[in-house]
Amino acid sequence: MKLKNILLSFIVLSFCQSWSQKIVVQSPNKKNVVALYAMDSNNKGEWYLKISQQTDKNTTEILPKVSLGISRSDQDFSKELLFLKATKPKLVKEHYELPFGKKLVRDNEANEVVVSFENPGKAKLNLIIRAYNDGATFRYEFPEKKGSYVVNDEFTAYQIPKDSKRWLEKWNTANEGLYAESSDDKIVQQEWCYPALFNSSDKSCWFLLHEADLDRNYCGTKLSNTKDSNIYKLTFPDPKDGRGTGEPKPSISLPWQSPWRVISMGSLADIVESTLVEDVSTPTRFKTTDWIKPGKVSWNYWSSNHGTKDFKTVCEFADLAVAMKWPYTLLDWEWDGMTNGGNLEDALKYIHSKGVKPLMWYNSGGDHTWVSSTPKDRMLTHKNRVEEFTKLKKLGVVGVKIDFFESEKQNMIQYYLNILEDAAQFEMMVYFHGCIVPRGWSRTYPNLMTYEGVRGAEWYNNVPEFTNTAPEHNTILPFTRNVVGAMDYTPVTFTNSQYPHITSYGHELALSVLFESPLQHLADRPEGYYELPNEAKNFLKEVPTSWDDTKLIDGYPGQEVTMARKKGANWYIGGISASERKEITKKIKLEFLAEGVNYQAVLIADGKHDKAFSSKTMVVNKNATIDVKLLRRGGFAVSLIPIQN
C-alpha cells in the first residue's frame, strides 16, 4: 500500500504540471519510465511516447519517440487529438500459471494509466499505458458502444537512435528468414518481421519490439523503415499475401481494443527470461488443461521427406519413440497415401500398440496457399473440422500440425483462432507451421503447443546456405524469436539431411535445452540417436520440454549463448558457440542452484572432434563452477540432479 501511495503521488505530481509537457508512468520498481508528450503547448494535436530506463547512475533513453495514432474509415485519430483526462494510476497485479513454456508460475505486475482523447468530430480514443519491470506496453481503445469501421492505418512508429545495434529478419509470410545484425550507416530499409531486437546507443539496455493479444478483431502487423531508416512504423499485411485472399485492412466494431504494442527491455537476461507477451494476453477460459501434455516427438520428414508415405518408416519412428521414452510420433504429409505394408489405420494401430500417441499433419487448405498437398481442406471450415476431429478422436490421435497459412490478414487471424477453439472442444492439441510467430495465444488457448515461424532444421533440406549460416543463427534465436513463445525448430540432429551441418554434436545436443517448444520434434533418423553414447542418449530421454524456470547465464546474439532451465528440482544447461575461428573455454557459475543442496552433474561436451563427445560426472553445489571447452561451432549440455541424502 505504501508503494502504491508513493507511485500515486509521483504520477499525480506529473499530472499537475503542464499537460503539454508529459504524463509519466513508472514501473513498480521505478526503473522503466513511459512519458506521454504533446507536440504543441495547448494539449491538442499529435502525441507521442518517450520510453527510458533509469538506474542509480543515469537515465538511458530507449525510444526517444513512439508516434501514436490511428485512422478509421470515418475519421482520423492522430492529428488533432484533444486531451480530456487521465485515470488515477492502477496497479495491475496478477498471478497465473501455464502448463508449459519458459516458466510455470507467472506474475503480471505493472502500473497502468488510461489517457482519454477526443478528435475534432467529438469521437473518443483511449490510450492504455503500462510500465512493467521488464518493459512497457500500450494499446488503443475506442470506448464508444456502437459503430463498425475499417481501420485505414495505424501510425504507431518507433524512432530508434541511429547508433543502436539491431537484429532483424526481413519480412516473409512464413517468418522463416535469417536475422541480420546492423548499425550506424549500414541500416537496410525494408519491411521486417517481429520480434525485432535492439541494443541502446550506450550499450546499457536491450529492447525487443513485438505485439501481443492479437485477436480476431485486427490483423497482424509488421515493421517498416522504408521511409526513414531509423523509424520503424507498424504496417498492415500486403494485399498479395495469401494469394490475394482476404482484406489487408482490418474491420472493427466498437467498443474495440488494439493488440498490445510490447517493448521488452532491460539486460539480455531480462529479455530472454521475460514472459511479457503472455502476461498481457487474455487469460484462458478453458475449464481444464490436464489433457494438454508437453513432450518429445519422433519425426521422419527431416531424414526422409516422404517418410510418412512408407508404413515401415512410420513403424521405425514409433519404435524410436519407445526406445527413447518419447511420448509422441508425428505422421507428417502424405499419410493419406501410405503404402509398403500398411495404410493409415494400420500405422495408428501399430503406434498405439507401442504405447505411443500419434500426431497428424494437415494442409491448412483454401485458396490462400499454392500448396496442393492432401488432405487439403479438412481444417478449412467449422463443419470440416468437427467432422475431422470426431474421426481423429476415435482413432486416438491427440494433436494436429496445420501448415501453410501464408498471411497475417484479419481473415487468417480469425482462421487460426477458429481452429484452436474447435480443437479444444475435442481436447485436441494444435501446432502451426508456415505460420505467424507467437502473439500470446498460448495463454488464451493453451492447446496451442508450438509454432514454426522460424528458419529451422528443415532448411538443411531446402538450401545449401543453411550449412554455414545455422551456427550463428542458432545463437541469435534465443534472444529474438524464442523469447516471444514456443519455437518448433525441430532440433538435435547428428546425421545429415540433404545438406550437411557443421555444428558439433555438442552444439546439437545443447539445442534440446536452448530451444523451447512444449512439443519438441527431435528430427534425426533412428540410427542418429541409437548410435549416441549412453550419456547423450540418456540426456535426450530425460530432458523436459516444459519448464518451471529459465535463466540466461551469458551470451551475445550471433556469438554464443548459455542458458539454464529448471524442471521440478532438476536443472539443465545448454550452451553453444558460433565461432568459426577458435575454440573457447567457459566457466559456468552455478549460483542459481538451491542453497545447501548437492547435485550430480553430468557434463556432455565436445570431444576430440566435432562428431565426438566427452562426458564427465561430478558432484557440485551453488558455489561450484563447471569448466567446459567448446570446439568451433561447438556446444555442451549439463544435467543437474539433486543428490538425495
Side-chain angles (χ1 to χ4, degrees):
M1 182 61 68
K2 184 177 179 182
L3 174 61
K4 190 171 182 180
N5 290 337
I6 292 171
L7 290 167
L8 177 61
S9 300
F10 178 86
I11 298 174
V12 167
L13 179 62
S14 299
F15 289 173
C16 293
Q17 300 173 5
S18 170
W19 285 112
S20 61
Q21 292 181 9
K22 59 184 176 180
I23 296 169
V24 176
V25 188
Q26 280 189 315
S27 58
N29 65 4
K30 298 187 179 182
K31 187 176 181 180
N32 296 328
V33 180
V34 185
L36 178 69
Y37 285 83
M39 296 290 281
D40 58 27
S41 60
N42 63 2
N43 295 336
K44 185 177 182 180
E46 295 182 46
W47 296 76
Y48 68 94
L49 298 175
K50 181 181 290 188
I51 299 175
S52 57
Q53 187 169 81
Q54 297 180 164
T55 63
D56 294 337
K57 296 182 179 179
N58 59 7
T59 297
T60 300
E61 197 170 77
I62 307 303
L63 290 164
K65 183 179 181 183
V66 181
S67 300
L68 301 170
I70 199 163
S71 173
R72 287 192 329 218
S73 51
D74 62 326
Q75 50 194 311
D76 180 78
F77 295 81
S78 64
K79 302 293 185 186
E80 299 181 72
L81 288 177
L82 174 66
F83 171 84
L84 296 178
K85 63 180 180 178
T87 64
K88 292 181 179 181
K90 178 179 74 172
L91 180 63
V92 175
K93 192 167 186 178
E94 183 185 21
H95 188 78
Y96 71 99
E97 295 184 5
L98 284 185
F100 51 73
K102 66 176 79 170
K103 292 181 181 179
L104 172 64
V105 177
R106 316 289 183 91
D107 290 298
N108 177 24
E109 187 171 331
N111 288 317
E112 178 185 282
V113 168
V114 180
V115 185
S116 297
F117 300 99
E118 182 180 81
N119 74 355
K122 304 299 183 182
K124 306 298 190 292
L125 172 71
N126 291 340
L127 180 69
I128 305 171
I129 304 169
R130 288 184 182 177
Y132 283 85
N133 291 343
D134 58 350
T137 68
F138 65 94
R139 77 191 320 175
Y140 303 103
E141 179 181 60
F142 291 129
E144 293 166 322
K145 304 300 182 185
K146 293 181 180 180
S148 296
Y149 309 97
V150 172
V151 177
N152 287 328
D153 202 358
E154 182 179 329
F155 301 113
T156 304
Y158 303 96
Q159 180 180 315
I160 307 294
K162 180 181 178 181
D163 48 356
S164 301
K165 277 196 172 182
R166 49 201 86 182
W167 286 259
L168 298 107
E169 175 190 340
K170 183 180 178 181
W171 167 251
N172 64 97
T173 56
N175 295 281
E176 292 183 37
L178 294 168
Y179 274 84
E181 178 185 344
S182 60
S183 62
D184 301 326
D185 59 347
K186 299 179 181 178
I187 306 301
V188 177
Q189 292 180 251
Q190 60 187 22
E191 292 183 333
W192 303 96
C193 296
Y194 285 122
L197 178 67
F198 301 84
N199 189 201
S200 63
S201 303
D202 65 359
K203 314 304 179 192
S204 68
C205 184
W206 295 79
F207 58 102
L208 189 80
L209 303 182
H210 197 43
E211 66 181 7
D213 207 28
L214 170 62
D215 63 20
R216 60 183 71 252
N217 300 307
Y218 213 55
C219 60
T221 68
K222 55 185 181 291
L223 298 170
S224 173
N225 67 337
T226 54
K227 293 184 178 179
D228 185 314
S229 61
N230 294 303
I231 295 178
Y232 292 80
K233 181 188 176 300
L234 268 64
T235 59
F236 291 157
D238 191 300
K240 297 181 297 183
D241 294 349
R243 294 183 65 195
T245 61
E247 295 297 324
K249 296 178 180 179
S251 297
I252 64 172
S253 295
L254 306 192
W256 170 88
Q257 290 183 330
S258 75
W260 287 103
R261 307 301 166 212
V262 177
I263 306 104
S264 302
M265 52 195 281
S267 66
L268 272 177
D270 291 329
I271 299 291
V272 168
E273 297 165 19
S274 174
T275 58
L276 188 54
V277 170
E278 289 163 332
D279 292 345
V280 299
S281 294
T282 302
T284 186
R285 294 180 181 175
F286 287 14
K287 289 183 171 59
T288 63
T289 57
D290 56 351
W291 51 275
I292 299 167
K293 298 185 183 300
K296 294 183 283 288
V297 189
S298 66
W299 182 55
N300 63 47
Y301 175 84
W302 183 86
S303 57
S304 176
N305 292 173
H306 301 281
T308 305
K309 205 171 183 177
D310 188 308
F311 172 76
K312 291 181 179 178
T313 299
V314 171
C315 293
E316 288 171 2
F317 276 81
D319 294 340
L320 171 64
V322 174
M324 297 299 291
K325 299 181 180 179
W326 301 341
Y328 302 109
T329 191
L330 171 66
L331 304 182
D332 214 293
W333 76 312
E334 298 182 321
W335 53 258
D336 54 340
M338 194 183 303
T339 59
N340 196 23
N343 58 19
L344 173 65
E345 287 72 19
D346 298 321
L348 292 173
K349 183 177 180 180
Y350 184 85
I351 291 166
H352 286 302
S353 74
K354 296 294 183 176
V356 177
K357 296 177 181 178
L359 310 167
M360 285 174 54
W361 177 95
Y362 285 85
N363 189 334
S364 63
D367 293 334
H368 61 268
T369 176
W370 291 100
V371 180
S372 59
S373 304
T374 59
K376 184 168 183 180
D377 298 325
R378 299 190 192 179
M379 293 292 146
L380 191 59
T381 67
H382 171 72
K383 180 177 181 292
N384 289 357
R385 288 189 293 272
V386 168
E387 289 176 357
E388 195 67 12
F389 289 146
T390 299
K391 293 175 185 176
L392 293 179
K393 196 73 175 174
K394 291 178 180 177
L395 290 170
V397 176
V398 297
V400 291
K401 168 184 176 180
I402 306 176
D403 211 342
F404 306 123
F405 290 88
E406 301 175 28
S407 167
E408 296 183 11
K409 295 174 184 175
Q410 185 177 20
N411 69 315
M412 197 59 59
I413 302 305
Q414 293 169 345
Y415 182 29
Y416 281 117
L417 302 185
N418 290 340
I419 289 171
L420 293 170
E421 290 176 358
D422 286 345
Q425 299 303 310
F426 292 84
E427 297 190 344
M428 191 72 59
M429 296 184 291
V430 177
Y431 53 109
F432 297 126
H433 265 232
C435 63
I436 198 169
V437 300
R439 299 300 207 277
W441 293 345
S442 55
R443 184 179 184 194
T444 315
Y445 304 98
N447 60 326
L448 174 52
M449 304 302 291
T450 191
Y451 314 63
E452 189 180 30
V454 67
R455 196 178 192 85
E458 75 171 19
W459 279 84
Y460 286 116
N461 275 301
N462 300 344
V463 289
E465 154 268 306
F466 200 57
T467 294
N468 292 310
T469 57
E472 179 179 320
H473 180 61
N474 292 349
T475 66
I476 295 174
L477 293 175
F479 302 106
T480 52
R481 165 63 183 85
N482 211 184
V483 169
V484 301
M487 181 179 78
D488 196 25
Y489 178 102
T490 62
V492 190
T493 57
F494 304 102
T495 66
N496 288 326
S497 184
Q498 182 171 344
Y499 301 102
H501 63 82
I502 56 174
T503 52
S504 75
Y505 277 20
H507 184 120
E508 289 294 318
L509 185 68
L511 299 183
S512 65
V513 177
L514 290 174
F515 291 168
E516 184 264 315
S517 180
L519 287 180
Q520 186 74 280
H521 293 74
L522 300 181
D524 209 345
R525 48 182 55 84
E527 55 266 33
Y529 298 115
Y530 293 151
E531 295 172 5
L532 292 173
N534 286 335
E535 294 84 358
K537 193 183 303 181
N538 289 336
F539 188 90
L540 290 177
K541 290 178 181 179
E542 296 166 4
V543 63
T545 66
S546 62
W547 305 99
D548 295 345
D549 202 4
T550 291
K551 300 287 185 185
L552 175 68
I553 295 177
D554 65 12
Y556 190 89
Q559 296 180 14
E560 61 175 284
V561 58
T562 303
M563 294 172 63
R565 299 191 192 267
K566 184 183 182 185
K567 185 70 172 182
N570 303 337
W571 283 89
Y572 299 83
I573 304 174
I576 58 173
S577 166
S579 176
E580 294 283 344
R581 298 180 180 178
K582 61 180 181 180
E583 301 175 354
I584 61 174
T585 299
K586 298 188 69 65
K587 290 184 175 291
I588 310 301
K589 295 181 179 180
L590 304 178
E591 300 165 328
F592 52 84
L593 294 179
E595 185 74 48
V597 179
N598 288 330
Y599 294 78
Q600 177 175 284
V602 178
L603 168 66
I604 309 166
D606 292 326
K608 293 182 179 180
H609 53 80
D610 62 0
K611 291 180 172 53
F613 288 108
S614 65
S615 299
K616 182 179 180 182
T617 301
M618 63 200 92
V619 175
V620 298
N621 57 35
K622 72 173 298 174
N623 300 313
T625 60
I626 295 178
D627 296 340
V628 57
K629 179 180 177 181
L630 284 74
L631 298 178
R632 294 179 304 159
R633 305 176 298 276
F636 68 96
V638 185
S639 63
L640 296 146
I641 312 300
I643 298 172
Q644 302 298 323
N645 294 326

